[in-house]
Amino acid sequence: VGGGGGGFARGARASGRRRWRCAVEVGTGGGGSGEGVVGGAGGGSGDGGVDDRKGSKHEGSAELAGQMEGTGDKIAAYLNESLQTWEPPKFLWRTLYTLLLLGLVVKRVLWERKLNMQQTLQQIGRVGPDTLGVSMLTSAFVGMVFTIQFCQEFSKVGLTRAIGGLLGLAFARELTPVICAIVLAGRVGSAIAAELGTMQVSEQVDQLRTLGSDPVDYLVAPRVVACALSLPILSVVSFTIGMAASILLADLRYGISPNIILDSAAKYLETSDIMVMCAKGLSFGGVIATISC
């Protein structure tokens, strides 16, 4: 009985161990299958949602790129059509050509020292007499008009001693260079343009090139230098005539002593004002001659 009981006990323990192993194996297999089913189903559904979102993003970016490309094509076509039919304004080309010609003259005269002195002196002798008389007459009348206005208004407030200074500053800084430049453009500039235009039509400019002479050195540079040097001298002479006419009218019409006007002009005027007048005359003369050529 004792041996049989021991065998029965060992058999019971062995059967218990087998049942535990089966339970463990069943539990493990069930868990694996559960995990596989749940994980597979969940993973599959999750991956499908991500793919759908990525696909929608790609479709949206492709559609936006197509719209931008179409808009760019339309803009390019419009710009191409506009540029084919657009022409720059004529004054822009003329201004650019004038600046290039002026730079070429400055280069030839200042850097390369190429200047026909005979032609330059001839043009100076032509520019001065043609412009001097008209500029002096114009300055005299402008000076008298300004004198009338200044004397009438300043006499009311007792500032007659400031008339000479105001006249001197107005003439030196603004009026005299502008008056002389207008007269130069009307008298000399038109003549230069007509002369060179006739030479171009009659092929005289081409003949100069055939003979080995540069038209800029022989025709353009002497006229530009002549006008640029003559206009400051004309400005100084016209300034003197304008002040003299103002002094004469103020003395005869309003009874203001010439000494008062001269003292006021000497008090307000400075050397820099005369230098500014000459510099303006120099630049105006060069630009007018370049445009005329």
Side-chain angles (χ1 to χ4, degrees), residues 132 135-136 139 176 232-242 277:
L132 183 60
S135 61
M136 289 172 59
S139 298
T176 302
I233 301 173
L234 294 173
S235 300
V236 173
V237 176
S238 299
F239 171 76
T240 305
I241 297 299
M277 179 180 65

Side-chain angles (χ1 to χ4, degrees), residues 102-141:
L102 182 60
L104 182 60
V105 171
V106 172
K107 177 185 176 183
R108 296 291 179 85
V109 174
L110 297 181
W111 275 269
E112 298 180 2
R113 307 290 182 177
K114 292 181 179 180
L115 182 63
N116 193 325
M117 292 303 299
Q118 182 179 359
Q119 287 289 328
T120 304
L121 295 176
Q122 182 180 353
Q123 293 299 321
I124 290 175
R126 175 186 175 185
V127 171
D130 287 348
T131 312
L132 183 60
V134 181
S135 61
M136 289 172 59
L137 187 64
T138 307
S139 298
F141 280 103

Side-chain angles (χ1 to χ4, degrees), residues 50 58 74 117 119 201 215 225 247 275:
V50 172
H58 288 310
K74 293 180 181 179
M117 292 303 299
Q119 287 289 328
V201 171
V225 173
I247 292 171
M275 298 301 295

Side-chain angles (χ1 to χ4, degrees), residues 50-72:
V50 172
D51 292 338
D52 292 339
R53 287 194 296 271
K54 289 182 179 180
S56 61
K57 289 182 180 180
H58 288 310
E59 291 177 359
S61 60
E63 183 179 359
L64 180 61
Q67 293 178 356
M68 293 179 64
E69 184 177 358
T71 305

